[in-house]
Amino acid sequence: DVPCDFTNPDYYAKCGWNLNNLPHWPGSVLRHIKGNYNGINVPWMYVGMLYGTFAWHNEDNYLYSISYNHTGAPKIWYGCNGDSAHKLESCMRSFLMDRFREVPDLIYHLVTMIGPSILLAKNIDVVKAVQEPGHFMVTFPQAFHGGFSTGFNVGEAVNFAMPDWLTFGQLCSERYRTWARGSPISRERLVMAMARNLNELDSQGCQLLWDQIKILRDEQERLRRQVYQAGVVHAMQMPHEKADDEEFDEKRLCSICQHLCFFSAVVCSCDPDRVACLRHHDQLCKCNRRENCFLFWYTVKEMDDALGAIVLHIEKLKVSTIDLTISK
């Protein structure tokens, strides 16, 4: 084996621990995102100061995160695991009731910090860690974290995601829709991109992907039927390249829940710039439903084909495993 030359800048340019590379590294499902999203798959640099605080939050889309302290004073981190996230939110809402009345989605504004002792008094498990210079800190999906710097420091942070994140991505997507909050990345676009790159997944990852596409497929079939039964009889298939054109995304955000209408949408001639997802098709406008038009970028059959390809790939992986066992 050739020893690593840690003094050579080329080593770090190609290293997976370089946070510019990590989101796109094999194993991270964010490598299937085409665009650059600052702070998600493009690292942010942070300059801290004494008692500079980062408020309680969980990551966009409930992603994993990794932070590196390049130099300076240590950071103090507090964390609460994803299983207790709802308890932490309930505690914050009760402790800051008046503030949450004014701003119901205050939790997403990254400005709220309450002491760990308050959470502990409510029987919410809180952990503490000290991040020294040269240390990485990793947070897991849906886990709340916050803290402060003990002096001047320079940090860097980015997100990544393993296949087990897919179920958390689903939970977060539903949460965003409840609050009519736009999602930084489209879960639907991501899973369909993963379905085109199955060789990067093991059998467990394939099964997780199959589960998510099946949920989306069944919802699309059910809601498309409801839209038709409601009287929306006009339909138009849109080109696939538009589905993956991220510059087109702002034009197909549901006007009700701000969800990206990746698979399909409903539009009306009364306001062609206003669209609705299939869940909220009946809230689009007050026109006769025959004035509406159903737009779709993917057919249900195409989603079925993606599911079938995943099943075939799982079978191939099983055969490969058996062959490997026999050869040993």
Side-chain angles (χ1 to χ4, degrees):
D1 293 339
V2 179
C4 295
D5 182 3
F6 295 110
T7 63
N8 187 345
D10 288 341
Y11 167 76
Y12 297 98
K14 301 175 182 177
C15 178
W17 286 102
N18 181 335
L19 299 195
N20 287 284
N21 298 334
L22 185 58
H24 315 283
W25 206 252
S28 171
V29 302
L30 294 187
R31 66 193 268 106
H32 302 293
I33 295 177
K34 291 181 179 180
N36 292 325
Y37 298 84
N38 291 330
I40 295 182
N41 62 356
V42 177
W44 268 353
M45 297 294 294
Y46 297 88
V47 177
M49 59 182 288
L50 181 61
Y51 303 134
T53 302
F54 50 106
W56 284 110
H57 68 287
N58 42 32
E59 297 297 309
D60 288 332
N61 294 95
Y62 290 166
L63 292 164
Y64 286 84
S65 77
I66 183 167
S67 172
Y68 182 69
N69 189 348
H70 281 275
T71 186
K75 282 185 177 180
I76 307 300
W77 289 67
Y78 299 103
C80 173
N81 66 44
D83 291 338
S84 301
H86 66 287
K87 294 181 181 179
L88 184 146
E89 287 194 37
S90 296
C91 179
M92 291 179 70
R93 290 181 185 279
S94 62
F95 189 73
L96 301 168
M97 192 176 298
D98 291 339
R99 190 74 182 101
F100 272 94
R101 283 200 192 101
E102 297 172 1
V103 187
D105 63 343
L106 182 66
I107 199 75
Y108 294 115
H109 291 216
L110 307 183
V111 295
T112 309
M113 192 71 183
I114 60 175
S117 59
I118 297 173
L119 300 176
L120 290 170
K122 295 291 186 179
N123 296 317
I124 300 172
D125 292 333
V126 181
V127 296
K128 175 184 175 181
V130 179
Q131 185 187 22
E132 301 283 353
H135 286 186
F136 288 96
M137 189 68 66
V138 175
T139 68
F140 285 74
Q142 203 179 358
F144 270 98
H145 47 285
F148 62 93
S149 296
T150 61
F152 172 81
N153 54 34
V154 179
E156 182 179 4
V158 78
N159 293 117
F160 66 100
M162 310 301 288
D164 67 341
W165 163 82
L166 289 170
T167 53
F168 291 96
Q170 177 192 357
L171 291 173
C172 193
S173 177
E174 295 298 330
R175 185 74 187 279
Y176 284 159
R177 297 180 84 162
T178 299
W179 288 103
R181 183 179 180 82
S183 176
I185 61 174
S186 168
R187 160 177 161 249
E188 287 92 336
R189 172 181 283 128
L190 183 55
V191 297
M192 294 307 287
M194 291 174 66
R196 296 192 293 268
N197 295 275
L198 296 175
N199 289 332
E200 297 191 10
L201 295 173
D202 59 15
S203 58
Q204 183 180 15
C206 284
Q207 185 61 57
L208 289 166
L209 179 61
W210 189 93
D211 292 342
Q212 290 302 310
I213 294 180
K214 183 65 163 59
I215 290 170
L216 294 167
R217 179 258 180 227
D218 289 349
E219 181 184 54
Q220 283 291 308
E221 183 182 48
R222 175 174 54 82
L223 292 178
R224 291 181 187 201
R225 186 180 301 114
Q226 289 181 8
V227 167
Y228 179 77
Q229 291 172 347
V232 182
V233 295
H234 299 293
M236 180 182 297
Q237 183 165 10
M238 308 298 287
H240 266 189
E241 54 267 22
K242 282 292 185 181
D244 291 321
D245 183 1
E246 296 180 2
E247 295 183 0
F248 183 64
D249 287 354
E250 288 188 7
K251 296 181 180 180
R252 53 178 178 151
L253 293 176
C254 174
S255 55
I256 311 302
C257 69
Q258 293 299 298
H259 185 73
L260 176 66
C261 300
F262 181 75
F263 291 120
S264 58
V266 174
V267 67
C268 184
S269 58
C270 72
D271 187 353
D273 292 328
R274 178 180 168 89
V275 303
C277 68
L278 302 196
R279 292 188 188 182
H280 300 111
H281 67 90
D282 57 341
Q283 300 178 48
L284 176 62
C285 62
K286 295 182 179 180
C287 298
N288 186 297
R289 301 314 306 278
R290 292 185 177 275
E291 299 297 322
N292 294 169
C293 183
F294 168 64
L295 307 178
F296 62 101
W297 288 266
Y298 279 84
T299 65
V300 173
K301 182 182 183 304
E302 286 173 318
M303 299 178 76
D304 284 333
D305 291 343
L307 291 171
I310 296 172
V311 171
L312 288 176
H313 190 69
I314 292 174
E315 292 300 321
K316 289 180 182 178
L317 291 174
K318 289 179 180 179
V319 171
S320 298
T321 302
I322 293 172
D323 290 344
L324 181 61
T325 303
I326 293 173
S327 64
K328 286 183 178 180

